Amino acid sequence: GDEAQGAEPAKIVDRLRDVWGNRPDVRLDRPDVQVQVWLFRDRATLSLDLSGESLHRRGYREEGSAAPLKENLAAAILMRASWPELAAQGDSLVDFMCGSGTLPIEAALMAADIAPGLLRDYWGFLGWRGHDPAAWADLIAEAQARRDAGLARLPPIRGYDQDPTAIRVALNNAAGAGLAGRVHFERRDLDVAAPGREGETGLVVLNPPY
């Protein structure tokens, strides 16, 4: 009725004010609770977004850096290439066109058993009344302990690129991921980028430019 006549539809915060007497303030970038509405033909699906930001955002990437390869896609490529099994047996990894370092960093996170979202400081469920902070704190502590143990057995991981700016970004991203000094990044032209030490075995993976 009202909507058909051009009136503004009721907002969730207004309904909450009507029921509880208070109209909550909403942060548009990181709300305490985010509601998603999906429309398909004559059906609307209403749900709570307990993830918050997209899950591919691990929390280590330098803002504004050129990054054509998303973190979750890089992880999928490494899984498809059997990197977890190779890393477990001590094999190394090299990326000759590492760009901002996504493949080597994801490889290190995977090899060191580091939870992919451990660095994130925002989740959609943190403001949800069904959230159990004590259980979440226990999970974080367990993930941190597994990270510390995993970093002690990290195999050699290297990334090369001919662009010095890309290497700078990769080093910053590695530091943001807690991997400073544990993943080797270096500016090298492709024709002189050697895989590793003599007799070293492992995986070569790269994302060539389009």
Side-chain angles (χ1 to χ4, degrees):
D2 289 342
E3 292 182 31
Q5 297 173 16
E8 184 178 347
K11 295 182 175 67
I12 294 175
V13 289
D14 293 331
R15 293 295 302 273
L16 291 173
R17 178 198 57 203
D18 295 341
V19 173
W20 301 102
N22 294 319
R23 187 182 191 278
D25 293 328
V26 178
R27 292 173 300 173
L28 297 180
D29 55 341
R30 287 186 167 188
D32 292 335
V33 176
Q34 184 165 292
V35 177
Q36 299 277 11
V37 180
W38 295 92
L39 299 175
F40 181 69
R41 295 179 180 168
D42 61 346
R43 182 180 296 271
T45 302
L46 185 68
S47 59
L48 291 179
D49 181 358
L50 299 184
S51 296
E53 297 172 336
S54 296
L55 290 177
H56 77 271
R57 296 179 178 172
R58 313 290 206 212
Y60 64 76
R61 175 165 281 167
E62 181 178 288
E63 291 298 325
S65 65
L69 190 64
K70 287 186 177 180
E71 297 91 324
N72 58 336
L73 178 56
I77 291 170
L78 293 164
M79 293 287 289
R80 185 68 178 84
S82 300
W83 169 242
E85 292 81 6
L86 295 171
Q89 64 189 32
D91 283 349
S92 63
L93 178 140
V94 62
D95 180 353
F96 295 124
M97 302 179 182
C98 70
S100 60
T102 307
L103 279 165
I105 290 171
E106 288 295 318
L109 294 177
M110 200 174 289
D113 192 27
I114 299 176
L118 187 57
L119 294 169
R120 287 172 53 130
D121 59 359
Y122 170 70
W123 297 89
F125 58 75
L126 294 177
W128 177 47
R129 287 193 175 183
H131 172 52
D132 185 340
W136 179 243
D138 289 343
L139 288 172
I140 293 295
E142 177 188 347
Q144 290 171 340
R146 289 173 60 173
R147 174 197 61 194
D148 295 342
L151 286 173
R153 59 176 185 268
L154 194 65
I157 297 174
R158 305 178 183 90
Y160 303 123
D161 201 282
Q162 66 178 0
D163 182 359
T165 300
I167 293 300
R168 178 192 62 78
V169 173
L171 288 167
N172 288 343
N173 286 341
L179 298 169
R182 298 181 182 273
V183 178
H184 179 78
F185 288 107
E186 183 180 338
R187 198 213 72 78
R188 282 194 190 181
D189 291 330
L190 182 60
D191 59 348
V192 294
R197 297 181 178 88
E198 184 70 26
E200 200 171 275
T201 61
L203 177 68
V204 175
V205 60
L206 53 88
N207 178 33
Y210 297 125

